[in-house]
Amino acid sequence: MQKKKGVIYQSISGFYYVWSENQSFATKPKGLFRHTNEKPLVGDEVVIEVDEQDSQSESRLIEILPRENELVRPSISNVNYSMIVTSLVEPDFSYNLLDYFLVSIESNHIEPIILLSKYDLLVEALGQEEADRKVEEIKRVYAPAGYTVVTLNNNESDIDKIKHLIDSGLYVIMGQSGVGKSTLLNLLLPEANIETGIISEALNRGKHTTREVTLYPFNDGFLADTPGFSAIDFPDIDKAELRFYFPEIARAGESCKFRSCLHLNEPGCNVKSEVEAGDIAQSRYNNYEQIMERIEQRKPVYKKKK
C-alpha cells in the first residue's frame, strides 16, 4: 500500500473523493475516525492509502491533516477566500444580510470578495444612471474595509471579471438562495452542469438546488459550490472580538481612548467620531451594534460533565 496526500473534493454516501497527484480516488475512512469522533470534510487535506498493484481494491482515508478553519453551514474546511454573491435586485440588496455574511467569514479568518449580481436587471429597473449611483454607493460603504467589490450581469461577460480574481487556494462561492451562485458556477465551470433554481415569486426566495458541497479545479486553486442558506449564527464570537471582524472599525478603534473600547457608549470613542464624520458608513456601524446585541442576548451553552 502506498500513502498519498490529497484534498477531499466531494463526499457522497459515505465515500470521500480525494484529488491527489492529478488523480481522483474514491476512499472509505478507517474505523478509527468513529472512535475519535472525527468526521472528514470537503476541503480537508488528508493522507490516503492506495494499492497501486490492484486498481480494484478500495483506497482508505487514514489521516486528516490539521485544519486552517472550518465552516459549519456549509460544512467545508481550509477555505482561503469567500466570494459572497449578493443580488442587487430579485431579491433586493441588503446591507444587513451582507454584513452578517462578512462577519461570519471574517471570524473564520477567510478573505471576502463581494460580488453584486443582476446588475443588468438593476439597470432595467432603475435606468443606467440611477443603477450606477446605487452600485457606487455600495462600493463607498465597503471601501474603508478594503473589500473588493465586483458587479455581475449573470452572463458570459462575468467570466473574465472572475477569472483574474482566482489564483491558488480554496474559494467558496456563497450567498442566500436565488442570488445567482449556480448561474455563475455554470458560466465558470460549464462541465459541472450545476442545476439552476427558479426564484419563487410568491416567497421571493430561491429553491435549494445545490445539495452537496463540491470542489472544482480552477486555475491553480479550487472553486466550491455551497448550498444556499439564509440563517447565520455567531456561536463562537465573543463581544470583545466583534470589532476585529469589521476591518474599518478595528482600524479606527486603535485611536480610541480605551483599548478595551467596544464602540458603544464609551467616552473618547474614535469609531463613533468617524461614523459621525462619514468615514465609516452608518449602515456598517448599525449592523455592528445589531450583531453585538445578538451576541449579548445569546444564551450561554453549558457543557455536560462527563
Side-chain angles (χ1 to χ4, degrees):
M1 301 290 282
Q2 184 177 2
K3 292 183 179 179
K4 295 177 181 285
K5 285 186 179 180
V7 176
I8 297 175
Y9 70 88
Q10 194 171 50
S11 166
I12 300 175
S13 303
F15 281 90
Y16 294 90
Y17 293 85
V18 176
W19 189 252
S20 175
E21 299 175 7
N22 294 317
Q23 263 186 291
S24 175
F25 297 89
T27 72
K28 275 277 193 179
K30 288 185 74 172
L32 63 90
F33 293 119
R34 288 196 298 271
H35 302 299
T36 58
N37 208 25
E38 279 186 288
K39 183 183 178 183
L41 296 177
V42 171
D44 275 344
E45 295 182 352
V46 296
V47 178
I48 61 175
E49 279 185 341
V50 179
D51 188 348
E52 296 195 326
Q53 305 301 318
D54 182 5
S55 60
Q56 300 302 313
S57 68
E58 192 176 81
S59 299
R60 305 292 289 176
L61 196 163
I62 62 171
E63 184 183 355
I64 301 171
L65 300 178
R67 293 169 179 158
E68 293 292 325
N69 53 46
E70 176 184 339
L71 298 181
V72 178
R73 292 185 301 173
S75 294
I76 188 170
S77 66
N78 298 322
V79 178
N80 304 107
Y81 301 89
S82 175
M83 307 180 99
I84 304 171
V85 184
T86 181
S87 60
L88 291 161
V89 290
E90 298 180 18
D92 290 339
F93 177 80
S94 166
Y95 285 107
N96 183 267
L97 182 61
L98 178 54
D99 284 348
Y100 271 57
F101 271 107
L102 287 166
V103 169
S104 178
I105 291 306
E106 288 277 7
S107 68
N108 284 283
H109 309 291
I110 298 167
E111 185 173 330
I113 299 168
I114 300 170
L115 304 181
L116 303 176
S117 65
K118 305 184 184 181
Y119 170 72
D120 53 333
L121 298 183
L122 184 70
V123 172
E124 285 181 19
L126 301 180
Q128 187 76 55
E129 187 175 337
E130 188 64 19
D132 287 344
R133 187 198 64 77
K134 184 176 179 67
V135 169
E136 286 307 311
E137 178 185 287
I138 294 170
K139 288 182 176 180
R140 278 197 301 273
V141 167
Y142 293 100
Y147 293 142
T148 298
V149 181
V150 179
T151 56
L152 305 177
N153 291 313
N154 290 76
N155 59 38
E156 290 186 3
S157 66
D158 296 338
I159 298 175
D160 290 334
K161 291 183 180 180
I162 300 298
K163 274 185 175 178
H164 78 278
L165 295 174
I166 300 173
D167 195 2
S168 59
L170 198 163
Y171 293 73
V172 167
I173 292 181
M174 64 195 314
Q176 68 177 139
S177 295
V179 295
K181 299 193 313 296
S182 293
T183 301
L184 177 60
L185 274 162
N186 276 330
L187 289 169
L188 295 171
L189 304 164
E191 68 277 9
N193 193 28
I194 299 162
E195 182 185 358
T196 301
I198 300 173
I199 293 287
S200 165
E201 293 183 4
L203 297 176
N204 197 31
R205 292 175 60 188
K207 294 179 180 179
H208 286 210
T209 57
T210 309
R211 298 298 181 184
E212 301 285 345
V213 178
T214 304
L215 302 187
Y216 301 94
F218 195 96
N219 288 352
D220 294 325
F222 287 100
L223 264 178
D225 183 36
T226 57
F229 58 98
S230 55
I232 303 172
D233 297 318
F234 310 106
D236 300 321
I237 297 179
D238 183 88
K239 66 179 185 179
E241 298 173 348
L242 179 62
R243 61 187 187 271
F244 300 117
Y245 306 138
F246 285 77
E248 70 275 48
I249 288 178
R251 172 190 48 76
E254 293 175 1
S255 301
C256 287
K257 182 177 181 180
F258 301 106
R259 290 188 64 182
S260 60
C261 185
L262 295 178
H263 321 308
L264 299 173
N265 302 306
E266 299 90 338
C269 176
N270 186 56
V271 169
K272 297 197 80 168
S273 296
E274 289 204 13
V275 173
E276 290 172 7
D279 296 324
I280 293 175
Q282 186 69 51
S283 65
R284 289 280 284 167
Y285 181 73
N286 290 347
N287 290 332
Y288 169 82
E289 283 189 309
Q290 188 181 109
I291 295 171
M292 179 69 78
E293 188 176 340
R294 280 188 59 174
I295 291 171
E296 290 178 334
Q297 293 176 352
R298 183 177 57 204
K299 292 180 181 178
V301 177
Y302 300 102
K303 294 182 178 179
K304 292 182 180 179
K305 291 183 179 180
K306 292 184 178 179

